[in-house]
């Protein structure tokens, strides 16, 4: 998941079709203007957005919404698809699966919706996938990382089967992220004893499990495991177990609200060791949640950091020029690329049908998504046979002072 905000961006924006332009000051709830394309009769295509727009994860959700809006407005400004005007329809799932399912049903009912970007949370996505699949409606998540969403429940046994042909993602999976984290902890940080904690949610359990497996494969020892409950605040019992275990690192599978508190309480318990997590903890709010110093705590996230990339400046500049109230955060670039992939699929379908949308536009867009390939904000955007991104670039961040700083970026290799 989560996955805020410094953005992880890679590679070069392609010229022409991917040239971004400032879209003016705005924040009208995320519904893109539908009159920017100009000239002649226009068909409106809606790109749905599902994300937590309120609640504790809204910093990420607002970045997703705004970045999709910027992509739609850019496509309209550049007349990317002749005869088509793009509009966005953002819906708030509050990081709740039932809300996500309701939103999916609402988006399916709107025949103008030809693609959906979202959601943030893997657990929410599980409740939405079937709804979209039955309607042949393309879904592209910029943040889901749980492997089973694209490779089926038996992926860990090597039995990989794609459950839904309509599901795609621009973020890499926890298979990659969890192993990358374990390799950094063992090989680079020289940690040998890990205590592994998860939040009992789809994302957290999967990520923590993969980290633990890889850490042991490398020769490390998992000296203890435990679970916490989302929205609780007292983790002193777990913190004491960590202290008594002799661990030299804590790995946490979950989100930053609980992760920040766990890091704080582990240190207060007397275990002055780093906490490491995935993209779910990589957020300034993780640091703010702690009254103890977070120096040395670690987090991984997909892609490369924006501050290291000249090629990302156009996206950053245009986002700033659009004057959105919230930052693009960690998933902004992936959200822009997810929306642009939908736009390119629509373009392919319209071109193949003599400049018009066919009657079975949703099915055709889903088919075209599998062939999408372009240089995007986050690097090369294309999908494999499971709908997973082919981009396997990741970064390790470390807390230094009151901010996250990148310490290692690499393309993951088995």
């Amino acid at each position: 998941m989560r996955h805020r905000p410094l953005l992880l961006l890679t590679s070069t924006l392609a010229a022409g079709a991917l040239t971004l332009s400032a879209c003016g000051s705005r924040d009208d709830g995320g519904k893109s203007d539908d009159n920017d394309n100009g000239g002649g009769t226009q068909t409106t295509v809606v790109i749905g957005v599902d994300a937590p727009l309120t609640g504790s994860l809204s910093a990420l959700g607002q970045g997703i919404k705004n970045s999709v809006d910027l992509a739609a407005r850019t496509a309209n400004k550049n007349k990317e698809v002749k005869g088509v005007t793009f509009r966005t329809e953002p819906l708030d799932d509050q990081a709740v699966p039932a809300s996500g399912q309701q939103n999916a049903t609402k988006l399916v009912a709107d025949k103008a919706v030809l693609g959906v970007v979202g959601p943030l949370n893997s657990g929410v996505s599980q409740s939405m996938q079937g709804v979209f699949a039955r309607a042949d409606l393309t879904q592209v998540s910029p943040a889901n990382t749980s492997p089973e969403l694209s490779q089926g429940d038996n992926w860990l046994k090597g039995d990989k089967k794609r459950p839904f042909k309509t599901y795609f993602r621009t973020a890499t999976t926890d298979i990659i992220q969890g192993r990358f984290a374990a390799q950094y902890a063992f090989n680079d940080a020289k940690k040998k004893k890990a205590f592994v904690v998860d939040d009992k949610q789809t994302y957290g359990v999967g990520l923590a499990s993969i980290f633990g497996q890889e850490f042991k494969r490398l020769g490390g020892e998992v000296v203890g495991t435990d679970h916490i409950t989302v929205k609780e605040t007292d983790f002193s019992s777990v913190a004491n177990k960590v202290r008594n275990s002799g661990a030299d690192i804590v790995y946490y599978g979950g989100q930053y609200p609980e992760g920040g508190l766990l890091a704080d309480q582990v240190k207060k318990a007397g275990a002055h060791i780093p906490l490491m997590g995935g993209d779910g903890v990589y957020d300034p709010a993780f640091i703010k949640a702690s009254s103890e110093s977070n120096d040395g705590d670690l987090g991984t996230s997909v892609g490369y950091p924006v501050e290291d990339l000249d090629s990302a400046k156009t996206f950053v500049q245009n986002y700033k020029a659009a004057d959105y109230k919230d930052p693009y955060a960690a998933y902004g670039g992936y959200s822009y690329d997810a929306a642009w992939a939908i736009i390119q699929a629509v373009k392919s379908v319209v071109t193949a049908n003599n400049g018009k949308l066919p009657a079975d536009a949703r099915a055709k867009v889903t088919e075209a998504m599998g062939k999408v390939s372009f240089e995007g904000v986050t690097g090369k955007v294309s999908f494999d046979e499971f709908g997973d991104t082919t981009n396997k670039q990741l970064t390790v961040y470390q807390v230094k002072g009151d901010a996250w700083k990148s310490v290692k970026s690499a393309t993951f290799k088995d």
Side-chain angles (χ1 to χ4, degrees):
M1 154 220 154
R2 290 57 120 116
H3 72 0
R4 280 40 40 277
L6 291 177
L7 175 65
L8 310 177
L9 305 172
T10 68
S11 197
T12 307
L13 294 176
L18 286 178
T19 300
L20 303 182
S21 57
C23 301
S25 176
R26 61 174 279 94
D27 197 318
D28 58 5
K31 294 187 178 183
S32 305
D33 294 344
D34 61 2
N35 57 1
D36 292 334
N37 214 356
T41 302
Q42 296 292 305
T43 298
T44 297
V45 169
V46 177
I47 299 175
V49 183
D50 180 86
L53 304 179
T54 58
S56 62
L57 298 177
S58 61
L60 305 181
Q62 291 293 335
I64 291 172
K65 180 198 75 173
N66 295 341
S67 298
V68 175
D69 178 79
L70 182 60
R73 291 174 65 84
T74 299
N76 293 339
K77 183 77 172 181
N78 294 347
K79 298 180 175 59
E80 182 66 21
V81 184
K82 187 176 180 180
V84 173
T85 295
F86 292 94
R87 181 172 64 82
T88 63
E89 181 65 30
L91 299 178
D92 181 12
D93 64 29
Q94 298 180 310
V96 176
S99 297
Q101 188 174 64
Q102 292 171 1
N103 291 346
T105 300
K106 181 177 180 179
L107 291 167
V108 163
D110 183 350
K111 299 305 181 183
V113 177
L114 295 188
V116 178
V117 176
L120 172 72
N121 303 86
S122 293
V124 175
S125 196
Q126 285 181 319
S127 74
M128 305 175 78
Q129 287 179 302
V131 178
F132 290 138
R134 287 189 290 273
D136 281 327
L137 183 57
T138 292
Q139 171 193 4
V140 192
S141 175
N144 294 166
T145 54
S146 294
E148 60 264 37
L149 296 174
S150 58
Q151 300 180 22
D153 293 338
N154 295 319
W155 64 269
L156 191 57
K157 299 177 182 178
D159 181 17
K160 299 180 181 181
K161 294 181 180 179
R162 188 177 184 181
F164 303 103
K165 67 179 181 180
T166 50
Y167 181 80
F168 300 84
R169 54 176 141 202
T170 53
T172 195
T173 71
D174 289 332
I175 300 173
I176 306 300
Q177 186 177 196
R179 293 181 63 191
F180 182 71
Q183 290 172 13
Y184 180 86
F186 186 83
N187 295 326
D188 296 86
K190 306 301 181 183
K191 302 301 182 182
K192 306 304 178 187
K193 296 182 178 182
F195 195 103
V196 180
V197 183
D198 67 65
D199 64 357
K200 297 183 281 190
Q201 303 297 303
T202 301
Y203 162 75
V205 171
L207 188 59
S209 297
I210 294 164
F211 173 90
Q213 291 169 6
E214 180 70 2
F215 193 76
K216 288 188 287 186
R217 187 188 72 81
L218 294 169
E221 180 183 0
V222 174
V223 294
T225 62
D226 211 331
H227 316 278
I228 65 172
T229 301
V230 171
K231 296 186 178 180
E232 288 190 358
T233 58
D234 183 3
F235 307 129
S236 57
S237 175
V238 176
N240 287 332
K241 291 179 183 178
V242 171
R243 179 196 62 203
N244 295 333
S245 71
D248 53 14
I249 190 170
V250 180
Y251 189 82
Y252 173 64
Q255 308 282 347
Y256 60 80
E258 293 77 29
L261 293 174
L262 178 62
D264 181 62
Q265 292 173 35
V266 164
K267 293 173 177 62
K268 285 181 177 178
H272 296 287
I273 59 177
L275 180 141
M276 186 178 199
D279 54 329
V281 307
Y282 171 61
D283 190 280
F286 170 87
I287 301 171
K288 294 176 182 177
S290 180
S291 60
E292 298 287 309
S293 171
N294 288 107
D295 276 1
D297 284 346
L298 299 158
T300 56
S301 200
V302 291
Y304 288 170
V306 63
E307 63 269 21
D308 293 349
L309 297 170
D310 290 338
S311 60
K313 290 181 178 178
T314 304
F315 171 83
V316 175
Q317 290 169 355
N318 283 288
Y319 191 97
K320 182 177 180 180
D323 199 26
Y324 295 108
K325 293 178 182 178
D326 299 281
Y328 48 77
Y331 300 107
Y334 297 97
S335 303
Y336 185 98
D337 282 349
W340 200 262
I342 293 171
I343 291 166
Q344 292 304 302
V346 170
K347 183 177 181 178
S348 175
V349 169
V350 169
T351 300
N353 195 50
N354 299 317
K356 297 180 180 179
L357 285 171
D360 58 345
R362 284 181 173 175
K364 285 292 195 295
V365 167
T366 294
E367 182 181 350
M369 280 293 295
K371 303 173 185 177
V372 162
S373 180
F374 61 91
E375 291 296 328
V377 174
T378 59
K380 180 67 173 291
V381 178
S382 61
F383 306 100
D384 65 17
E385 68 271 27
F386 300 104
D388 289 331
T389 179
T390 57
N391 187 338
K392 297 181 180 180
Q393 297 166 325
L394 300 102
T395 297
V396 177
Y397 294 86
Q398 186 174 50
V399 178
K400 296 182 179 181
D402 59 354
W404 290 101
K405 303 292 184 182
S406 62
V407 293
K408 182 177 182 178
S409 295
T411 297
F412 180 83
K413 297 181 180 179
D414 290 327

